[in-house]
Amino acid sequence: MEERLQKYMASCGIASRRKCEEIILTGKVKVNGVFVNEVGIKVDPLKDIVEYEGQIISKAEKKVYIMLNKPEGYISSVKDEKGRKTILDIVKVDERIYPIGRLDYDSSGLLLLTNDGEIYNKIIHPRVEIIKKYIAVVKGKISEKDIKKFQIGIDIGGYITAPAELMVISYDKEVSTIEIGIHEGKNRQIRKMCAALNHEVLSLKRISIGEIKLGYLKRGEYRDLNKEEISYINTL
């Protein structure tokens, strides 16, 4: 159910409703990544993400931490204006959750979801250079020169990527299976990096985020993070 932004902020413990109105008017609040400065805006606590001073805010509720093996064909968002399926068509919980980072529509693998703003910011903050590993199937044979370019950084159109890891797993029938490790998260970064080296990505799956591994979780399945995984995130 939608409610006025200032009421929602007050219920999250930010300040009184009137003070929250003043905060909104100063342009310090984001709704779904966009700054707002009107007090008449309404939000849906189950779908919309509200940020104040760079932190996601939420009402006091049971904290949940979920690992999903996202299939291709789903948006890593809680809603989609184009009517495409989202991760909330898979993950069914009572709490309002949101993804920590993104996976492309046509990519699969490990995606973390939570309603804990502190945990979200621990992983997403740029200062935390967590290595995320992927298995990619690409056209062509990966050369030593390609590997070195990954290790140095690649121009993906006005941006030079940070040094990355690349290891060849196998090569068969003009197709290479490789493992890639990056700590950045630019839009479609791995696909752009491979394309810059003339290796079209045929499939892409994320298998780990730092020490959190997808393991044997089947595509489309999800589970709660265990105590060790949550503890690891809290050390970041």
Side-chain angles (χ1 to χ4, degrees), residues 118 121-130 183 235-236:
E118 184 176 349
N121 288 303
K122 278 181 176 290
I123 295 178
I124 213 72
H125 199 285
R127 68 170 173 76
V128 183
E129 297 184 351
I130 302 176
H183 66 74
T235 64
L236 297 174

Side-chain angles (χ1 to χ4, degrees), residues 173-191:
K173 297 179 181 179
E174 301 299 319
V175 170
S176 297
T177 300
I178 58 179
E179 180 179 289
I180 295 171
I182 62 173
H183 66 74
E184 299 174 294
K186 300 294 182 182
N187 184 40
R188 301 180 71 82
Q189 179 173 333
I190 289 178
R191 294 178 186 275

Side-chain angles (χ1 to χ4, degrees), residues 45-63:
L46 295 178
K47 296 181 179 179
D48 297 317
I49 297 176
V50 179
E51 297 175 70
Y52 172 55
E53 293 187 336
Q55 303 287 319
I56 291 177
I57 63 173
S58 61
K59 296 181 181 180
E61 57 185 346
K62 174 188 174 185
K63 299 301 183 183

Side-chain angles (χ1 to χ4, degrees), residues 46-107:
L46 295 178
K47 296 181 179 179
D48 297 317
I49 297 176
V50 179
E51 297 175 70
Y52 172 55
E53 293 187 336
Q55 303 287 319
I56 291 177
I57 63 173
S58 61
K59 296 181 181 180
E61 57 185 346
K62 174 188 174 185
K63 299 301 183 183
V64 294
Y65 312 93
I66 293 171
M67 173 193 294
L68 166 68
N69 186 346
K70 185 189 91 67
E72 297 93 339
Y74 286 81
I75 297 295
S76 298
S77 178
V78 295
K79 61 181 179 180
D80 181 59
E81 295 178 354
K82 297 180 180 179
R84 293 170 293 183
K85 291 182 179 180
T86 76
I87 51 177
L88 292 192
D89 288 308
I90 303 174
V91 182
K92 303 293 185 181
V93 295
D94 294 332
E95 293 79 13
R96 165 187 174 267
I97 57 174
Y98 37 86
I100 304 177
R102 303 287 173 126
L103 270 179
D104 297 334
Y105 178 80
D106 47 0
S107 298

Side-chain angles (χ1 to χ4, degrees), residues 18-225:
R18 179 166 293 182
K19 181 62 177 178
C20 286
E21 291 178 354
E22 296 176 6
I23 292 172
I24 293 168
L25 291 173
T26 63
K28 296 180 179 179
V29 180
K30 283 184 181 180
V31 176
N32 298 324
V34 179
F35 283 107
V36 298
N37 57 8
E38 299 177 15
V39 295
I41 291 174
K42 291 187 176 182
V43 295
D44 183 340
L46 295 178
K47 296 181 179 179
D48 297 317
I49 297 176
V50 179
E51 297 175 70
Y52 172 55
E53 293 187 336
Q55 303 287 319
I56 291 177
I57 63 173
S58 61
K59 296 181 181 180
E61 57 185 346
K62 174 188 174 185
K63 299 301 183 183
V64 294
Y65 312 93
I66 293 171
M67 173 193 294
L68 166 68
N69 186 346
K70 185 189 91 67
E72 297 93 339
Y74 286 81
I75 297 295
S76 298
S77 178
V78 295
K79 61 181 179 180
D80 181 59
E81 295 178 354
K82 297 180 180 179
R84 293 170 293 183
K85 291 182 179 180
T86 76
I87 51 177
L88 292 192
D89 288 308
I90 303 174
V91 182
K92 303 293 185 181
V93 295
D94 294 332
E95 293 79 13
R96 165 187 174 267
I97 57 174
Y98 37 86
I100 304 177
R102 303 287 173 126
L103 270 179
D104 297 334
Y105 178 80
D106 47 0
S107 298
S108 65
L110 175 58
L111 186 67
L112 301 178
L113 303 99
T114 189
N115 61 348
D116 187 334
E118 184 176 349
I119 289 292
Y120 175 95
N121 288 303
K122 278 181 176 290
I123 295 178
I124 213 72
H125 199 285
R127 68 170 173 76
V128 183
E129 297 184 351
I130 302 176
I131 297 295
K132 297 176 281 289
K133 292 188 176 181
Y134 300 76
I135 298 295
V137 178
V138 303
K139 286 186 177 180
K141 186 173 184 179
I142 298 294
S143 67
E144 286 297 324
K145 187 176 180 180
D146 293 329
I147 294 173
K148 289 180 180 178
K149 286 184 177 180
F150 257 75
Q151 294 171 342
I152 295 171
I154 298 172
D155 188 340
I156 56 174
Y159 178 81
I160 305 297
T161 61
E165 304 170 3
L166 192 159
M167 180 180 70
V168 177
I169 297 173
S170 64
Y171 173 71
D172 184 45
K173 297 179 181 179
E174 301 299 319
V175 170
S176 297
T177 300
I178 58 179
E179 180 179 289
I180 295 171
I182 62 173
H183 66 74
E184 299 174 294
K186 300 294 182 182
N187 184 40
R188 301 180 71 82
Q189 179 173 333
I190 289 178
R191 294 178 186 275
K192 290 177 180 178
M193 292 173 76
C194 291
L197 302 180
N198 297 313
H199 295 293
E200 178 188 352
V201 173
L202 302 176
S203 68
L204 184 63
K205 177 181 181 180
R206 183 157 63 199
I207 59 171
S208 68
I209 298 174
E211 295 181 10
I212 299 177
K213 296 177 173 58
L214 184 62
Y216 294 103
L217 192 67
K218 295 180 180 178
R219 186 170 300 187
E221 291 186 344
Y222 60 93
R223 67 168 175 82
D224 293 332
L225 293 186

